[in-house]
Amino acid sequence: MKAQQFVVIGLGRFGASLALELMEKGFEVLGIDHNEERVEEMTDKLTHAVMADATDESVMRSLGVRNLDCGIVAIGDNMERSILTAILLKELGVKMVVAKAISILHGRALEKLGVDRVIFPERDMGIRVAHQLVTPHLLDYIELSKDYKIVELTVPSCMDGKSLAEINTRAKYGCSIIALNREGGIIVAPTAHDYLYAGDIMVVIGSNESIDQFEEEAV
Ligand code: ATP
Ligand code: ATP
Ligand code: CA
């Protein structure tokens, strides 16, 4: 089930950017912050922006928070408030609760409370940027499990004009190109007869080892 209505609690840098992106994607977003200025700044940018203390149960009830599909606790620096808010969202019956953690212990506490997804924005972004810095053509990646991933790479000039059969990625490295994204459009599930052009984006799936080897030797 795809969430349609979100409540974002805490409109700091993280919460505000998350809320705006959800709006951009066409979802309804209720933003809550107890800081007046932060709320004012978001008033005409979100479906609703309300000044309230998210740990106040009666206020949260009156805002109808329990009817929303997903709640994001974007309070970071104050662990107590973050935890109280997460408990409240869970108790009110919000189906999916996501919370930002500032430390491993904070994250563990949130998980124990039944928070559905705990995120560590600073840590995760640090890891992501490190990967991108040391892998020249890497745009983005998703870890599928401990051993498998999907990566998005720009096609290097050494592959320009070559077919997938010539590059022979699957046979040689054991990883598959699952999509090619170029200005003219996306080719999903390209075959041996599709061509690569420098600057295209290729999406590759495989084991970490096979993809690392492909990146080192071919890209
Ligand atoms: P960020 O790291 O996202 O930039 P920040 O460091 O400015 O945020 P945090 O302490 O992480 O601030 O809190 C994020 C937001 O959550 C702040 O705007 C703060 O006013 C709000 N906030 C904190 N506690 C509550 C609460 N109990 N109810 C509502 N809003 C709260
Ligand atoms: P496979 O069983 O690996 O698909 P195949 O013998 O059926 O190989 P083709 O489909 O004609 O042969 O492809 C020839 C070669 O081109 C493959 O062995 C593979 O290395 C490469 N190739 C084709 N499509 C892809 C793809 N989407 N991603 C990576 N490599 C591909
Ligand atoms: Ca902060």
Side-chain angles (χ1 to χ4, degrees):
M1 186 200 65
K2 204 169 165 195
Q4 299 297 323
Q5 292 177 310
F6 295 82
V7 54
V8 177
I9 294 155
L11 299 172
R13 284 162 303 178
F14 175 72
S17 113
L18 191 145
L20 291 172
E21 191 64 21
L22 290 169
M23 290 297 292
E24 183 80 14
K25 295 215 176 297
F27 296 104
E28 286 181 27
V29 181
L30 165 63
I32 299 177
D33 202 297
H34 64 181
N35 178 313
E36 187 173 5
E37 279 165 38
R38 296 225 159 140
V39 172
E40 263 169 21
E41 210 173 292
M42 300 298 281
T43 314
D44 44 7
K45 300 189 183 120
L46 304 182
T47 316
H48 300 286
V50 177
M51 191 179 105
D53 178 356
T55 60
D56 185 331
E57 181 169 353
S58 58
V59 172
M60 294 293 269
R61 277 192 195 281
S62 69
L63 287 171
V65 164
R66 70 188 175 86
N67 296 317
L68 306 180
D69 305 294
C70 178
I72 299 110
V73 184
I75 301 169
D77 299 350
N78 189 315
M79 209 186 295
E80 182 185 339
R81 289 202 209 122
S82 151
I83 286 171
L84 291 176
T85 305
I87 293 175
L88 193 51
L89 290 183
K90 270 284 157 195
E91 277 185 3
L92 288 173
V94 175
K95 280 169 238 122
M96 167 94 179
V97 177
V98 178
K100 162 182 158 170
I102 45 161
S103 67
I104 297 293
L105 211 55
H106 183 195
R108 228 186 277 159
L110 290 167
E111 268 164 18
K112 289 246 157 70
L113 297 172
V115 166
D116 301 280
R117 180 154 172 215
V118 178
I119 40 180
F120 299 85
E122 289 88 356
R123 184 197 68 178
D124 295 349
M125 201 56 189
I127 295 172
R128 194 164 284 272
V129 172
H131 276 271
Q132 289 164 347
L133 289 175
V134 299
T135 318
H137 292 273
L138 182 69
L139 296 174
D140 213 347
Y141 67 96
I142 302 170
E143 278 170 18
L144 295 173
S145 72
K146 196 163 63 49
D147 302 318
Y148 292 88
K149 63 183 172 183
I150 294 177
V151 299
E152 217 179 39
L153 302 166
T154 42
V155 172
S157 48
C158 61
M159 289 185 187
D160 188 51
K162 293 200 173 146
S163 69
L164 294 196
E166 283 174 85
I167 308 283
N168 207 12
T169 309
R170 192 155 49 222
K172 231 165 144 178
Y173 302 99
C175 49
S176 295
I177 298 170
I178 51 176
L180 291 172
N181 195 354
R182 60 179 62 135
E183 230 158 78
I186 295 187
I187 303 172
V188 175
T191 68
H193 314 295
D194 282 306
Y195 287 82
L196 296 167
Y197 298 102
D200 287 0
I201 293 166
M202 56 181 164
V203 185
V204 189
I205 187 167
S207 67
N208 294 340
E209 281 144 63
S210 68
I211 289 181
D212 291 348
Q213 201 193 349
F214 174 62
E215 282 172 352
E216 268 167 43
E217 292 179 15
V219 180

